[in-house]
Amino acid sequence: MKLYSDRFASPTFRRSVIGAAVLALCASPAFAIEPFKVKDIRVEGIQRTEAGTVFSYLPVRVGETFSDEKSVAAIKALYATGFFKDVRLEADGDVLVVLVEERPAIAKVEFTGTKEFEKDTLVKALKDIGVGETKIFDKASVDRAEQELKRQYLSHGLYGVKITTTVTPIERNRVNIVFAVDEGDVAKIKQINIVGNKTFSDKELKEQIALNTGGWFSWYTKADQYSKTKLTGDIESIKSYYLNRGYIEMQVESTQVSITPDKKDIYITINITEGEKYKVADIKFEGEMFGREEELRSLVLLNRGDVYSGERLTATNKRISDRLGTFGYAFANVNANPDIDRDKREVAFTFFIDPGKRAYVRHMNIAGNTTTRDEVIRREFRQFESSWYDANKIKLSRDRVDRLGYFKDVTIDTPEAQGTSDQVDVNLTVVERPTGNFQIGGAFSQSEKFTLSAAIQQANFAGSGNTVGIELNTSKYSRTISFSQTNPYYTDEGVSRSFEIYLRTQQPPALNVGSYTIKQQGGRISWGVPFSEVDTVFFGLGLERSRIDTDSTSPTRFKTYVTNVTGIANGIGSASTNAVPLTASWARDSRDSAITPTIGRYQRVNLELDLIGNSKYYRAVYEQQWYKPLHPKVTLALKGEIDYGHGIGGKAYPVFKNFYGGGIGSVRGYLSSSLGAVDTNYGDALGGSSRLIGNAELQMPFPGSGQDRSLRWFGFLDGGQVYQEGAKMRFSELRYSAGLGISWISPVGPLKLSYAKPLNAKTGDRLERFQFQMGTGF
């Protein structure tokens, strides 16, 4: 048997390739062979690799001539795959024999002693760098994986971590890899020193940074654990603090991070040079402005004589760039060139404007929608393909998609289309959130204790954008059977249609002494017609039959209503009414999100009127919500609502249409639905025909949640009251409360917890300081 290739004993890929190259360079006449025609190729030694894979890397086929050059090329190609640690080529007559020894495969990767990271996260991270189940074992990759693990632990402040890697061969040419981790103790920041600051105190500057020496929430935020990434961000925060207050030449000269020998304490020193405080001397414009200099000048947020602010300068650049973007100049470049006069401590700016080429949109791409259909998202777009780029329409498209309420996050970017200089692609990426809610079995509430209920509510049914709801509630005090459906695009023009049919039975909760029963059955249908991007007008019609049953213990207000309807003198008995309520409403929604808004306004006016039935009443509601960002992480939210109802033609206002106040959604700290007049005999809350509510919230991300807006905490101030029919709305009767709360967009719906202190509770008010509610937005 003739040997055409010597054995390569080197165990690693790199040396194998080098060995093949050396063989090629050192080939001598002693290795030369007579070329021969290959009649067959046989592969020996493979266990997991398919023979076809080996054939695909050979530079020779059956029927072709085999030579020294092809021998070297074949060995080099097979080693380069990384599948084999040994390759030989032999000739058995006219048969080419390929003998290989495969590298072992990784059967299992395990971790022991890991507490800081989830094991699934580590498995996925290592698999991305070539160390995972079914991967080919490579010692160099395992070494890199070990170093990557150490790096991750160091980034979390675990400087004493020790990692021992064990590779165990098992049957069928496989290995198990075990990373044994001794995490050690977490190194904590012991001290942060800022050197060189004269204008601002250490305390003031330390309030601007994320790293600290520990506090109440350190167990959650880990702010006392050093991270190079965090320190870099903190340095930028200190720079911004100075730049926004006129110190244009402020510099961070150096930073030192030292750790004690026991690797438990970290000391950080930041050296800064403040420089002088500057004011703005002048603002000039140069470049192509298309005759709109005055319009662009009006966008400048810095005026002559103002203290320089880097934040306002950056915002000015963005405003000018965005304004040019509305005319199709997607690549507009705006630079503010400073001219510093150190003697006068003034700085003048010249804005150089280069609009670039006018661009149009090539493609509108959608990503991340695993459930929601493309058309549900695409019909909210106001920027269209093959039309001129418009920054305002792109932002409006993003906001409209976010207002759908189907997504936890909506982002948009506009990269330049490859191969062109005047086209962009608009890429919208969404993160789906659960929009369905299924509940069956027992439920617990503060007012009704244990109840049996079943409900299905799907706000984005089958990804169609339609809302479908089925509710069955067998609560002792509130029984409901209902079916509802909303199609937001009943017509292609965006006209919506909603309908509901229902059967409800309501009795007072256990905390009430008086007894009564209200039964309602009916249905409604409504249409919503959009008149602008933010305005919609709704029209609707309903049919409703209501019956109220009273007895001797019923509240006086209910017995009086029975008397007015039936003429029964003592008001004990049953009263039935039929209503044909006509509804008309207007809504304006300019919020950036329906679930977690940070800017914008929501207004709603609703009128319900019954002129055809025998109830004869009207019911009006006006609500306004206003959101204003006070800081990138702080939002001020204000809400006001005024409601009023009255009977028509001398008819009594239906008591089952009363408004109620108290609890989350109105005035926290007071028992749900307990505000307003109470029954003179039993003290039960009666509600009223008019209501006044006001809320103010200061919303902030929960410590440690980063930019996640789904988990927030807030401080609040509430005020409100409910008034009887004919009574004046007196501000002196309002009830107030203040407190703290947490809101979370959980997988089963919005959850809100609050602790409130009533500020002016009166005798007889029912208080409840801790409250929770599912399914509320404000």
Side-chain angles (χ1 to χ4, degrees):
M1 180 177 290
K2 299 176 183 179
L3 177 65
Y4 290 100
S5 167
D6 208 349
R7 183 181 178 92
F8 286 81
S10 299
T12 65
F13 169 75
R14 291 182 180 273
R15 293 179 180 177
S16 301
V17 174
I18 293 172
V22 170
L23 176 64
L25 293 172
C26 299
S28 65
F31 288 92
I33 63 166
E34 279 296 324
F36 69 95
K37 188 174 183 181
V38 178
K39 292 186 176 180
D40 193 15
I41 300 175
R42 187 169 70 245
V43 181
E44 297 180 1
I46 57 175
Q47 299 179 39
R48 299 180 310 275
T49 309
E50 296 290 336
T53 302
V54 177
F55 293 151
S56 66
Y57 286 98
L58 293 177
V60 63
R61 300 288 184 268
V62 173
E64 296 180 352
T65 300
F66 185 72
S67 62
D68 283 336
E69 292 78 9
K70 290 186 177 182
S71 173
V72 172
I75 293 173
K76 186 175 180 179
L78 289 173
Y79 268 114
T81 64
F83 299 156
F84 313 109
K85 67 178 180 179
D86 183 42
V87 178
R88 288 184 298 156
L89 299 180
E90 297 179 355
D92 185 3
D94 293 332
V95 177
L96 178 63
V97 182
V98 183
L99 297 100
V100 298
E101 183 179 350
E102 294 180 328
R103 292 181 183 273
I106 299 174
K108 184 183 296 185
V109 178
E110 294 182 326
F111 301 88
T112 61
T114 54
K115 300 175 183 178
E116 185 71 13
F117 300 100
E118 294 287 340
K119 291 185 179 180
D120 290 344
T121 303
L122 295 177
V123 168
K124 183 179 183 302
L126 295 192
K127 196 168 186 177
D128 291 340
I129 59 177
V131 178
E133 294 183 8
T134 72
K135 296 281 188 179
I136 300 298
F137 171 73
D138 179 57
K139 188 176 185 304
S141 296
V142 173
D143 290 342
R144 286 197 305 271
E146 182 176 317
Q147 293 303 315
E148 175 62 19
L149 283 176
K150 287 183 179 179
R151 190 184 69 81
Q152 291 297 329
Y153 274 100
L154 294 178
S155 69
H156 281 236
L158 292 161
Y159 290 91
V161 65
K162 296 179 180 178
I163 301 176
T164 303
T165 305
T166 304
V167 180
T168 306
I170 61 174
E171 73 281 356
R172 293 185 300 176
N173 198 25
R174 298 180 301 161
V175 296
N176 288 336
I177 302 176
V178 178
F179 294 95
V181 181
D182 179 6
E183 295 184 340
D185 296 326
V186 177
K188 301 293 183 66
I189 297 175
K190 188 71 173 179
Q191 191 174 29
I192 299 176
N193 299 312
I194 301 177
V195 180
N197 54 308
K198 301 175 182 178
T199 306
F200 304 110
S201 66
D202 286 3
K203 180 181 178 182
E204 194 170 357
L205 294 179
K206 288 178 182 179
E207 288 176 350
Q208 311 307 316
I209 63 180
L211 293 174
N212 57 52
T213 55
W216 288 1
F217 290 101
S218 295
W219 60 272
Y220 182 77
T221 64
K222 303 186 188 305
D224 59 346
Q225 297 181 16
Y226 170 74
S227 164
K228 185 177 181 180
T229 303
K230 285 184 180 179
L231 180 58
T232 302
D234 286 346
I235 291 173
E236 292 303 317
S237 295
I238 293 175
K239 283 183 180 179
S240 297
Y241 191 75
Y242 273 94
L243 291 174
N244 293 339
R245 286 155 182 80
Y247 295 86
I248 192 171
E249 294 185 306
M250 182 270 179
Q251 293 291 331
V252 176
E253 300 294 345
S254 63
T255 58
Q256 291 89 38
V257 179
S258 59
I259 187 170
T260 55
D262 61 4
K263 297 184 179 181
K264 291 184 178 181
D265 296 327
I266 291 178
Y267 293 82
I268 299 174
T269 301
I270 303 173
N271 300 285
I272 67 174
T273 300
E274 290 184 335
E276 300 294 339
K277 188 175 183 177
Y278 286 82
K279 291 187 176 181
V280 177
D282 195 14
I283 300 291
K284 297 179 181 178
F285 282 83
E286 290 188 12
E288 179 58 69
M289 290 170 279
F290 308 106
R292 296 177 178 269
E293 181 175 347
E294 290 305 315
E295 180 182 346
L296 298 181
R297 187 176 289 275
S298 67
L299 301 175
V300 178
L301 298 176
L302 287 171
N303 298 312
R304 183 177 299 176
D306 289 350
V307 174
Y308 167 74
S309 169
E311 184 178 32
R312 284 192 284 170
L313 182 66
T314 301
T316 297
N317 285 343
K318 186 176 186 305
R319 294 180 73 180
I320 295 174
S321 179
D322 288 347
R323 184 57 179 161
L324 293 172
T326 63
F327 304 126
Y329 296 97
F331 311 114
N333 188 14
V334 181
N335 289 316
N337 188 27
D339 182 11
I340 298 176
D341 187 336
R342 292 180 175 83
D343 294 332
K344 295 182 178 180
R345 297 180 184 176
E346 292 181 340
V347 56
F349 289 96
T350 301
F351 286 89
F352 291 93
I353 299 175
D354 177 16
K357 290 185 178 181
R358 196 177 186 192
Y360 63 91
V361 174
R362 185 180 67 169
H363 296 306
M364 299 283 292
N365 302 314
I366 303 171
N369 53 320
T370 56
T371 300
T372 307
R373 302 173 189 172
D374 274 13
E375 63 178 292
V376 174
I377 299 174
R378 199 170 290 278
R379 65 195 182 190
E380 302 299 328
F381 287 170
R382 293 302 177 263
Q383 172 71 63
F384 302 108
E385 294 178 346
S386 301
S387 64
W388 291 117
Y389 173 97
D390 190 322
N392 286 345
K393 290 182 178 180
I394 291 174
K395 181 181 182 301
L396 178 60
S397 299
R398 194 218 73 86
D399 290 348
R400 286 181 63 90
V401 172
D402 204 347
R403 284 200 294 265
L404 290 173
Y406 306 153
F407 311 108
K408 288 194 297 184
D409 190 34
V410 180
T411 57
I412 201 165
D413 65 290
T414 55
E416 183 178 355
Q418 293 184 355
T420 67
S421 60
D422 62 348
Q423 297 181 44
V424 298
D425 290 331
V426 177
N427 300 326
L428 184 134
T429 304
V430 300
V431 179
E432 300 259 19
R433 74 174 187 88
T435 57
N437 183 15
F438 174 71
Q439 182 180 359
I440 186 169
F444 184 84
S445 67
Q446 290 174 304
S447 60
E448 298 187 9
K449 307 306 178 186
F450 186 78
T451 63
L452 180 66
S453 63
I456 298 175
Q457 180 75 28
Q458 179 66 57
N460 185 17
F461 183 73
S464 65
N466 296 341
T467 299
V468 177
I470 301 174
E471 183 179 358
L472 172 64
N473 192 326
T474 61
S475 162
K476 179 179 179 181
Y477 305 109
S478 179
R479 299 187 177 187
T480 302
I481 301 174
S482 70
F483 175 78
S484 61
Q485 193 259 3
T486 299
N487 184 349
Y489 276 80
Y490 182 66
T491 69
D492 293 339
E493 291 75 21
V495 175
S496 65
R497 185 201 65 183
S498 301
F499 72 85
E500 179 186 19
I501 54 176
Y502 55 86
L503 174 63
R504 300 188 179 101
T505 301
Q506 180 182 350
Q507 292 179 324
L511 58 86
N512 284 36
V513 179
S515 174
Y516 60 86
T517 300
I518 297 174
K519 295 182 178 179
Q520 293 178 296
Q521 55 186 340
R524 64 175 181 82
I525 187 169
S526 63
W527 293 267
V529 182
F531 280 84
S532 73
E533 296 295 345
V534 295
D535 296 287
T536 304
V537 175
F538 299 88
F539 305 94
L541 171 68
L543 294 173
E544 184 177 79
R545 179 175 178 81
S546 303
R547 173 179 168 175
I548 180 170
D549 297 325
T550 59
D551 57 29
S552 59
T553 66
S554 298
T556 303
R557 177 71 61 179
F558 287 78
K559 289 190 285 188
T560 300
Y561 180 75
V562 172
T563 298
N564 291 336
V565 173
T566 64
I568 299 175
N570 60 5
I572 299 175
S574 299
S576 298
T577 59
N578 296 314
V580 185
L582 305 175
T583 57
S585 62
W586 163 78
R588 170 173 289 176
D589 191 353
S590 61
R591 298 172 297 175
D592 61 340
S593 172
I595 305 299
T596 55
T598 59
I599 191 172
R601 179 176 295 180
Y602 174 77
Q603 297 179 76
R604 177 175 67 95
V605 178
N606 184 78
L607 176 64
E608 182 179 317
L609 179 66
D610 178 27
L611 295 175
I612 302 174
N614 57 9
S615 292
K616 300 293 192 298
Y617 70 92
Y618 68 87
R619 195 171 189 262
V621 174
Y622 174 72
E623 177 187 0
Q624 181 163 182
Q625 299 177 20
W626 183 77
Y627 300 88
K628 173 73 173 179
L630 303 181
H631 182 270
K633 293 185 178 181
V634 180
T635 300
L636 174 64
L638 302 177
K639 175 190 173 184
E641 182 174 342
I642 182 169
D643 310 316
Y644 186 80
H646 200 274
I648 298 175
K651 294 280 188 178
Y653 181 74
V655 292
F656 44 81
K657 294 291 183 178
N658 275 354
F659 299 99
Y660 290 86
I664 291 181
S666 56
V667 186
R668 287 160 281 202
Y670 296 84
L671 191 66
S672 178
S673 304
S674 66
L675 291 182
V678 297
D679 183 68
T680 55
N681 293 326
Y682 306 110
D684 296 337
L686 301 175
S689 62
S690 58
R691 178 175 62 176
L692 187 63
I693 300 293
N695 311 100
E697 288 187 2
L698 203 60
Q699 302 171 346
M700 291 155 282
F702 197 79
S705 62
Q707 299 298 319
D708 184 8
R709 294 190 296 168
S710 65
L711 179 61
R712 298 178 294 178
W713 72 281
F714 56 87
F716 63 85
L717 175 66
D718 293 342
Q721 186 56 281
V722 176
Y723 304 89
Q724 290 294 299
E725 187 173 14
K728 292 184 177 180
M729 292 186 178
R730 301 181 186 276
F731 289 102
S732 60
E733 298 179 6
L734 293 177
R735 298 292 189 270
Y736 299 97
S737 67
L740 298 173
I742 297 174
S743 64
W744 177 37
I745 310 301
S746 72
V748 295
L751 170 66
K752 184 168 282 192
L753 308 174
S754 68
Y755 181 84
K757 178 178 175 56
L759 300 179
N760 63 336
K762 307 296 183 183
T763 302
D765 288 347
R766 295 176 176 178
L767 308 182
E768 191 176 54
R769 286 181 169 81
F770 176 76
Q771 295 173 318
F772 66 91
Q773 184 170 337
M774 294 286 294
T776 181
F778 195 96

